[in-house]
Structures are given as structure tokens and as C-alpha cells.
Amino acid sequence: MIPTKDEFYKALVDRHGAENQKKFDEAVVAICGLGGLGSNIATCLARAGIGHLILIDYDFVDVSNLHRQHYKINQVGMKKTDAMAANLHEINPYIKIETHNIKLTEANTKPLIEKADIVCEAFDSPESKAMLVNLVLEQMSDKYILSSSGMAGFGSANDIKTRRVSKRFYLSGDGVSDVNAGIGLVSSRVMVCGAQEAHMVLKILIGELEA
């Protein structure tokens, strides 16, 4: 039997407290990129009861994604936005999900994320990472931006940390490991980094701004 919305919400209140859960429920978070990092962030936030997620990606689920991304083998070939929305609604059927199947550019990004309180950058491309971080910091002074650097390989997961770079900018990762240097991305380490970003989102929403 599927719990009602009230039952689901009460379970979250029992875990997080009524005041915190109200803030989560009223929040809008944009997740830009739905690969290993973004799909993990989205899953954590849906479980926490974030009320509204904006999911943005232009890619399709590939079999090579399955070892580290929150997709299923029967979703290979689907748009990542559609597959992710379906998976999140299985976890939390009461969440509002807005999807944009598009590649973000400097020209089109701002209107797609303007409703968000917090933006999570989860791209593979360094150029796309820089574009999004710079756009938010320079043009959207009411928003926080979370990004990442370094989560590849079999190094200790304890090396992955979150730090506050500036007033509205947070960075998660080990700051060193490179996907192109030897072993690539490993599911468990990617999940740790995604969870770090998601946890920082929750902390920001309840007013705990230090990493």
C-alpha cells in the first residue's frame, strides 16, 4: 500500500523536525546534469522531501552509465530527464519535478534555473562547469551554487569533502583525482560526492551555511 501524502510527510517530519521539513518542502533545487553526480544528488533530495526539483540534461541513458548512475537496465535508451523523473516518483510520488531536455549554454540557462533557490552543477565538461558557476555567481545574486572537483578512482572516500569557497559557492570532492588519469569513475566514490552536495543543500536550507 502506498502511503498517503500526509503519511509520507509525517514520516519526514518525524525524522527532520517540522520546521526543517517545511523549508525542504518549500525549496526549489535545480540539478544541472543527471549523470553519476546529478542522479545521486537528485535521489538524495527526493528522499529528503525537497518539494520541487528542476532536472536538466540532454543525454540518454547508456549501458555504460549503469554502474554509477541511478538508472535501471530497462531504461537504456531513454532520455535521462524522463528516466530520472520516473525513478524519483517511485521514491517520492508527491515531489514536483520539472524537466528540461536541453544542453545548457550561457544563452539559455538563466530562465531555466531562475525559480531555484539552490543550483547543483553536475556536468562532466570543465567548460560547462565554469559557465554555470560563473553565471550564477555573476548574474544571480539570490542563489547558492554547488559544484564538484575530484571524485575518480579508488582513493579513500574520506578524502572527499565539501568546502565553502565563497559566500554562495560550495565545492565538493577531493580536488585532485582526474577521471582521465588512470582509473575512471567508481560508483561508491561518485555516490559519496553526490551525497556531500545533497547534504550541503539541506544544510543551506536550514540556515547552516558552513560546510
Side-chain angles (χ1 to χ4, degrees), residues 144-148 162-172 197 200 204 208-211:
Y144 292 90
I145 175 89
L146 283 73
S147 187
S148 65
T162 298
R163 61 189 179 93
R164 190 179 188 183
V165 179
S166 63
K167 184 178 179 181
R168 297 183 291 111
F169 178 32
Y170 296 81
L171 193 64
S172 299
E197 279 202 38
M200 196 66 237
I204 292 168
E208 295 185 6
L209 300 182
E210 293 307 317

Short mmCIF file of all heavy atoms in Angstrom, two decimals, residues 144-148 162-172 197 200 204 208-211:
data_model
loop_
_atom_site.label_atom_id
_atom_site.label_comp_id
_atom_site.label_asym_id
_atom_site.label_seq_id
_atom_site.Cartn_x
_atom_site.Cartn_y
_atom_site.Cartn_z
N TYR A 144 22.46 30.13 -4.34
CA TYR A 144 23.67 29.39 -3.99
C TYR A 144 23.98 28.43 -5.12
O TYR A 144 23.08 27.91 -5.79
CB TYR A 144 23.46 28.59 -2.70
CG TYR A 144 23.30 29.43 -1.46
CD1 TYR A 144 22.04 29.86 -1.06
CD2 TYR A 144 24.40 29.79 -0.69
CE1 TYR A 144 21.88 30.63 0.08
CE2 TYR A 144 24.26 30.57 0.45
CZ TYR A 144 22.99 30.98 0.83
OH TYR A 144 22.84 31.74 1.96
N ILE A 145 25.28 28.16 -5.34
CA ILE A 145 25.71 27.21 -6.36
C ILE A 145 26.65 26.19 -5.73
O ILE A 145 27.57 26.56 -5.00
CB ILE A 145 26.38 27.93 -7.56
CG1 ILE A 145 26.94 26.92 -8.57
CG2 ILE A 145 27.45 28.91 -7.14
CD1 ILE A 145 25.99 26.49 -9.62
N LEU A 146 26.40 24.92 -6.00
CA LEU A 146 27.25 23.83 -5.52
C LEU A 146 27.86 23.14 -6.72
O LEU A 146 27.17 22.85 -7.71
CB LEU A 146 26.44 22.82 -4.71
CG LEU A 146 26.09 23.22 -3.27
CD1 LEU A 146 25.00 24.29 -3.26
CD2 LEU A 146 25.60 22.01 -2.49
N SER A 147 29.17 22.87 -6.64
CA SER A 147 29.89 22.23 -7.73
C SER A 147 30.79 21.15 -7.16
O SER A 147 30.76 20.86 -5.96
CB SER A 147 30.69 23.28 -8.50
OG SER A 147 31.28 22.74 -9.66
N SER A 148 31.61 20.52 -8.03
CA SER A 148 32.47 19.43 -7.59
C SER A 148 33.78 19.44 -8.34
O SER A 148 33.88 19.94 -9.46
CB SER A 148 31.77 18.08 -7.80
OG SER A 148 31.58 17.85 -9.19
N THR A 162 33.48 18.70 1.47
CA THR A 162 32.82 19.90 0.95
C THR A 162 33.41 21.12 1.64
O THR A 162 33.57 21.13 2.86
CB THR A 162 31.31 19.85 1.18
OG1 THR A 162 30.76 18.72 0.49
CG2 THR A 162 30.63 21.12 0.68
N ARG A 163 33.74 22.12 0.85
CA ARG A 163 34.24 23.36 1.44
C ARG A 163 33.49 24.55 0.86
O ARG A 163 33.00 24.52 -0.28
CB ARG A 163 35.74 23.52 1.22
CG ARG A 163 36.19 23.58 -0.22
CD ARG A 163 37.70 23.52 -0.34
NE ARG A 163 38.16 23.54 -1.72
CZ ARG A 163 38.49 24.65 -2.38
NH1 ARG A 163 38.42 25.82 -1.75
NH2 ARG A 163 38.90 24.60 -3.62
N ARG A 164 33.40 25.59 1.67
CA ARG A 164 32.75 26.81 1.24
C ARG A 164 33.80 27.71 0.61
O ARG A 164 34.69 28.23 1.28
CB ARG A 164 32.09 27.50 2.44
CG ARG A 164 31.18 28.65 2.07
CD ARG A 164 30.54 29.25 3.30
NE ARG A 164 29.53 30.24 2.97
CZ ARG A 164 28.85 30.96 3.86
NH1 ARG A 164 29.09 30.78 5.16
NH2 ARG A 164 27.94 31.84 3.47
N VAL A 165 33.70 27.91 -0.70
CA VAL A 165 34.69 28.69 -1.43
C VAL A 165 34.44 30.18 -1.26
O VAL A 165 35.38 30.97 -1.10
CB VAL A 165 34.67 28.31 -2.92
CG1 VAL A 165 35.67 29.13 -3.71
CG2 VAL A 165 34.95 26.82 -3.09
N SER A 166 33.18 30.57 -1.30
CA SER A 166 32.80 31.96 -1.10
C SER A 166 31.39 31.99 -0.51
O SER A 166 30.83 30.94 -0.20
CB SER A 166 32.86 32.75 -2.42
OG SER A 166 31.94 32.23 -3.35
N LYS A 167 30.84 33.14 -0.35
CA LYS A 167 29.56 33.28 0.35
C LYS A 167 28.47 32.39 -0.22
O LYS A 167 27.67 31.81 0.52
CB LYS A 167 29.11 34.75 0.30
CG LYS A 167 27.84 35.04 1.08
CD LYS A 167 27.50 36.52 1.03
CE LYS A 167 26.21 36.79 1.80
NZ LYS A 167 25.85 38.24 1.75
N ARG A 168 28.42 32.25 -1.55
CA ARG A 168 27.34 31.49 -2.18
C ARG A 168 27.82 30.29 -3.00
O ARG A 168 27.06 29.70 -3.75
CB ARG A 168 26.51 32.41 -3.08
CG ARG A 168 25.81 33.53 -2.35
CD ARG A 168 24.94 34.37 -3.26
NE ARG A 168 25.72 35.16 -4.21
CZ ARG A 168 25.76 34.95 -5.53
NH1 ARG A 168 25.05 33.97 -6.07
NH2 ARG A 168 26.50 35.72 -6.31
N PHE A 169 29.09 29.91 -2.85
CA PHE A 169 29.69 28.88 -3.70
C PHE A 169 30.35 27.81 -2.85
O PHE A 169 31.20 28.10 -2.01
CB PHE A 169 30.70 29.53 -4.64
CG PHE A 169 31.43 28.58 -5.56
CD1 PHE A 169 30.82 27.44 -6.05
CD2 PHE A 169 32.74 28.84 -5.94
CE1 PHE A 169 31.49 26.57 -6.90
CE2 PHE A 169 33.43 27.99 -6.79
CZ PHE A 169 32.80 26.85 -7.26
N TYR A 170 29.94 26.56 -3.07
CA TYR A 170 30.47 25.40 -2.35
C TYR A 170 31.03 24.39 -3.35
O TYR A 170 30.50 24.23 -4.45
CB TYR A 170 29.36 24.72 -1.53
CG TYR A 170 28.80 25.58 -0.44
CD1 TYR A 170 27.84 26.55 -0.72
CD2 TYR A 170 29.20 25.43 0.88
CE1 TYR A 170 27.30 27.35 0.28
CE2 TYR A 170 28.67 26.22 1.90
CZ TYR A 170 27.72 27.18 1.59
OH TYR A 170 27.20 27.96 2.58
N LEU A 171 32.11 23.71 -2.94
CA LEU A 171 32.78 22.76 -3.81
C LEU A 171 32.98 21.44 -3.06
O LEU A 171 33.53 21.43 -1.96
CB LEU A 171 34.13 23.32 -4.25
CG LEU A 171 34.85 22.62 -5.40
CD1 LEU A 171 34.05 22.72 -6.69
CD2 LEU A 171 36.24 23.23 -5.60
N SER A 172 32.53 20.35 -3.68
CA SER A 172 32.68 19.01 -3.10
C SER A 172 33.66 18.19 -3.93
O SER A 172 33.73 18.34 -5.14
CB SER A 172 31.34 18.29 -3.03
OG SER A 172 30.42 18.98 -2.22
N GLU A 197 27.13 16.84 -1.74
CA GLU A 197 26.44 18.00 -2.32
C GLU A 197 25.00 18.07 -1.82
O GLU A 197 24.51 19.14 -1.45
CB GLU A 197 26.47 17.96 -3.84
CG GLU A 197 27.76 18.47 -4.44
CD GLU A 197 27.61 18.92 -5.88
OE1 GLU A 197 26.56 19.53 -6.21
OE2 GLU A 197 28.53 18.68 -6.68
N MET A 200 24.82 19.27 1.71
CA MET A 200 25.07 20.70 1.81
C MET A 200 23.83 21.49 1.40
O MET A 200 23.54 22.55 1.99
CB MET A 200 26.27 21.09 0.95
CG MET A 200 26.82 22.47 1.28
SD MET A 200 27.55 22.55 2.94
CE MET A 200 26.60 23.88 3.68
N ILE A 204 22.14 24.25 3.87
CA ILE A 204 21.87 25.64 3.45
C ILE A 204 20.41 26.00 3.71
O ILE A 204 20.08 27.07 4.21
CB ILE A 204 22.23 25.82 1.96
CG1 ILE A 204 23.74 25.73 1.76
CG2 ILE A 204 21.71 27.17 1.45
CD1 ILE A 204 24.16 25.62 0.31
N GLU A 208 22.27 26.49 8.02
CA GLU A 208 23.62 26.11 8.46
C GLU A 208 24.55 26.26 7.28
O GLU A 208 24.72 25.34 6.47
CB GLU A 208 23.62 24.69 9.01
CG GLU A 208 22.80 24.53 10.28
CD GLU A 208 22.91 23.16 10.90
OE1 GLU A 208 23.73 22.34 10.40
OE2 GLU A 208 22.20 22.89 11.88
N LEU A 209 25.18 27.40 7.13
CA LEU A 209 25.88 27.76 5.90
C LEU A 209 27.33 27.32 5.86
O LEU A 209 27.95 27.34 4.79
CB LEU A 209 25.79 29.27 5.68
CG LEU A 209 24.36 29.83 5.56
CD1 LEU A 209 24.41 31.33 5.30
CD2 LEU A 209 23.57 29.11 4.47
N GLU A 210 27.90 26.93 6.97
CA GLU A 210 29.28 26.46 6.94
C GLU A 210 29.32 24.99 6.54
O GLU A 210 28.48 24.20 6.95
CB GLU A 210 29.93 26.65 8.31
CG GLU A 210 30.12 28.12 8.67
CD GLU A 210 30.87 28.91 7.61
OE1 GLU A 210 31.87 28.39 7.08
OE2 GLU A 210 30.44 30.05 7.31
N ALA A 211 30.30 24.63 5.74
CA ALA A 211 30.39 23.25 5.24
C ALA A 211 30.77 22.30 6.36
O ALA A 211 31.36 22.68 7.35
CB ALA A 211 31.45 23.20 4.13
#
